[in-house]
Amino acid sequence: MTEPTHDNEAHGGALGSRLNWLRAAVLGANDGIVSTAGIVVGVAGATADRNALLTAGLAGLLAGSMSMAAGEYVSVSTQRDSELAALAQEKRELKEQPEAELEELTELLERRGLSREVAREAAVQLTERDALKAHASVELGIDPDQLTNPWNAALASFLAFTVGALLPLLAIVLPPSGWRLPVTVVSVLAALVLTGWAGARLGAALVGPAVLRNVLGGALAMGVTYGAGSLLGAVGV
């Protein structure tokens, strides 16, 4: 009876991890959409030159995607270093004072609602199976077999931002001059509706407020940058 429960928990943990990655991808794409749209719409307020728009959009895409990747790499690397240090300390403690660690695991399981006898038996069995993994999971909340890879996280952020940024970039440079701004605005707002909906569903949140916040934020960003670009263009800067 215990094995199916273990399998279900493993599948549940894997599903949760996949949902976290999907949510991060949606948020990364959303950042790419909004930041690049703000740049190209701002430049469009100052000039209709396609080369200027393409240059600004590409610069924003590359700068944003590299910044996201670098930030994610540093963040995940720091987290991974902390987890590895905690696991190393736990490994030393298990080697130096196994009885004290067994008692600690028993007490932790008791706090989760098990009786003293059941908690002790469970602690013994978990220790015999894999002491480090048992303590890492129950005490530290870490799975030693599923530490996040900072390179994978950086690549995922880079790709997510790039995919999102491509939409406003293509929307501003491909249509004829008179259609560039309206096509970009409509495309961006439609994409923000989609990312807001997806983010809310993945996070089990209310869809309406999430979509509204997303669309209003994107519209405000484009409005402010367009106004600034128009003002600069009018004064000849």
Side-chain angles (χ1 to χ4, degrees), residues 5-228:
T5 301
H6 177 76
D7 290 344
N8 288 339
E9 289 177 352
H11 290 312
L15 177 60
S17 178
R18 285 195 295 270
L19 288 177
N20 285 335
W21 277 104
L22 285 172
R23 187 157 52 245
V26 169
L27 294 175
N30 194 81
D31 288 343
I33 294 169
V34 174
S35 61
T36 307
I39 292 172
V40 297
V41 167
V43 175
T47 178
D49 182 72
R50 189 189 301 269
N51 289 332
L53 293 170
L54 179 60
T55 300
L58 280 175
L61 184 155
L62 291 173
S65 59
M66 293 302 295
S67 175
M68 288 284 289
E72 192 70 9
Y73 177 82
V74 171
S75 175
V76 173
S77 293
T78 301
Q79 177 185 338
R80 184 184 176 91
D81 290 345
S82 298
E83 291 174 343
L84 289 173
L87 290 172
Q89 179 179 346
E90 196 64 40
K91 190 174 182 179
R92 285 194 303 270
E93 292 174 351
L94 284 167
K95 182 178 180 180
E96 295 170 0
Q97 44 189 9
E99 287 301 322
E101 289 298 300
L102 179 61
E103 178 60 27
E104 181 182 37
L105 183 57
T106 300
E107 292 175 357
L108 289 170
L109 292 172
E110 276 190 274
R111 293 174 193 171
R112 297 192 175 191
L114 299 180
S115 68
R116 173 70 185 182
E117 294 75 15
V118 173
R120 184 69 176 187
E121 179 62 26
V124 170
Q125 291 189 24
L126 288 171
T127 299
E128 289 176 350
R129 179 178 296 181
D130 190 330
L132 179 60
K133 190 169 184 178
H135 280 267
S137 176
V138 177
E139 183 180 347
L140 305 175
I142 299 173
D143 186 345
D145 299 328
Q146 294 187 11
L147 298 181
T148 305
N149 186 320
W151 288 106
N152 290 344
L155 179 60
S157 285
F158 178 88
L159 292 176
F161 188 97
T162 299
V163 169
L166 281 173
L167 173 69
L169 176 59
L170 295 176
I172 203 73
V173 299
L174 292 182
S177 179
W179 286 91
R180 288 174 188 163
L181 190 59
V183 167
T184 301
V185 171
V186 171
S187 300
V188 166
L189 294 181
L192 292 178
V193 169
L194 179 60
T195 56
W197 173 85
R201 291 298 300 272
L202 290 170
L206 293 175
V207 171
V211 170
L212 183 61
R213 286 194 300 267
N214 221 30
V215 170
L216 289 178
L220 179 62
M222 289 188 289
V224 169
T225 55
Y226 181 77

